[in-house]
Amino acid sequence: MLIIPAIDLKDGQCVRLKQGLMDEATVFSNSPGEQARHWLAQGARRLHVVDLNGAFAGKPKNERAIKEIIDAVGDDIPVQLGGGIRDLDTIERCLDDGVSYVIIGTAAVKNPGFLHDACGAFPGHIIVGLDAREGKVAVDGWSKLTGHDVIDLAKKYQDYGVEGIIYTDIGRDGMLSGINIEATVKLAQALIIPVIASGGLSNIDDIKKLCAVESEGIMGTIAGRAIYDGSLDFAAAQAEADRAATS
């Protein structure tokens, strides 16, 4: 089980949002590169980076900060990047810059043909981010709720050849209210590709609960606000996940 630190970028700074609201941003660092090195030193094995401005604008907006992060970790650990990725040229540029996995969210829902083409052009590098509230997928920085069922869409994207699904319960994101274990397991059981849990991770108990269902197809979880405000010790969380995997 991977515990994956999140670095959310807004105006070149590392921030955390509550339920995706840009005006509810808390700045945690002015140096994305230093933040990336910190998590690497703590034992992170992957980083989750989101260009928040890009997610709202529909194209990357924090490219300098993203490059700082990639330069900081080098080839030591993979970086997965989402936010404003809407075309094949952007994917190619991200991968050329050193990003390992590109996360496609809104564009996957609105333009499934693009996702299909992306999986064909860049096999092994495409992850889909599905953000949902009560089982229905949201798009455009969570501002619009669609009628699409999250499991139905995930199955379709699995057939396209995506590497995995990041599932976020947007009602819990940034609220430290606990991972929606039931919904995450239900999704993972319906798929053969791995699922990464996101939204609401709050403490070591959440890690233990996720580890208990890892065998259902949950490969990791994204850690955000909890590891920044101290309610979850990142190194202890990864150690717990490693211990559970060998017990």
Side-chain angles (χ1 to χ4, degrees):
M1 173 81 67
L2 291 178
I3 315 301
I4 308 171
I7 301 179
D8 290 357
L9 301 170
K10 178 177 182 278
D11 304 331
Q13 298 176 311
C14 304
V15 305
R16 291 303 299 164
L17 305 184
K18 283 187 178 180
Q19 295 184 304
L21 300 174
M22 289 289 270
D23 58 358
E24 292 283 342
T26 302
V27 177
F28 284 99
S29 173
N30 292 314
S31 175
E34 286 183 13
Q35 192 64 63
R37 280 189 289 271
H38 169 75
W39 294 127
L40 178 63
Q42 289 288 306
R45 296 169 198 163
R46 183 183 294 202
L47 292 179
H48 176 78
V49 179
V50 179
D51 183 342
L52 294 170
N53 300 102
F56 283 85
K59 59 182 178 181
K61 290 290 186 178
N62 283 283
E63 289 172 296
R64 178 180 295 180
I66 293 164
K67 288 179 180 178
E68 283 182 24
I69 291 169
I70 294 169
D71 289 343
V73 301
D75 296 327
D76 291 333
I77 59 173
V79 172
Q80 58 189 42
L81 172 68
I85 297 170
R86 305 281 197 270
D87 58 66
L88 297 180
D89 287 343
T90 299
I91 295 175
E92 185 172 26
R93 189 164 67 250
C94 290
L95 296 177
D96 286 344
D97 285 344
V99 171
S100 297
Y101 303 100
V102 168
I103 304 163
I104 301 175
T106 291
V109 181
K110 289 188 169 182
N111 187 1
F114 159 61
L115 177 64
H116 189 274
D117 291 344
C119 289
F122 308 103
H125 295 284
I126 306 299
I127 295 173
V128 167
L130 287 177
D131 308 324
R133 189 189 301 275
E134 297 179 358
K136 299 301 180 183
V137 174
V139 296
D140 294 333
W142 304 349
S143 62
K144 298 175 183 176
L145 200 62
T146 72
H148 295 296
D149 179 82
V150 65
I151 291 178
D152 291 343
L153 276 187
K155 285 182 175 179
K156 181 166 73 171
Y157 300 157
Q158 175 177 266
D159 292 342
Y160 289 176
V162 302
E163 276 295 288
I165 301 289
I166 297 173
Y167 173 66
T168 303
D169 183 328
I170 62 177
R172 300 190 182 211
D173 187 76
M175 302 302 290
L176 302 179
S177 56
I179 292 280
N180 189 334
I181 300 287
E182 182 181 357
T184 305
V185 168
K186 186 178 179 182
L187 175 62
Q189 288 174 334
L191 304 172
I192 58 173
I193 56 175
V195 171
I196 297 174
S198 176
L201 183 70
S202 59
N203 53 46
I204 199 72
D205 287 339
D206 287 330
I207 301 298
K208 293 176 180 178
K209 290 174 183 176
L210 281 169
C211 289
V213 295
E214 180 178 8
S215 61
E216 300 292 348
I218 301 170
M219 69 164 286
T221 183
I222 294 169
R225 182 171 291 272
I227 57 172
Y228 286 97
D229 72 7
S231 58
L232 178 67
D233 181 288
F234 171 78
Q238 187 61 69
E240 173 63 29
D242 293 343
R243 185 201 61 76
T246 58
S247 62

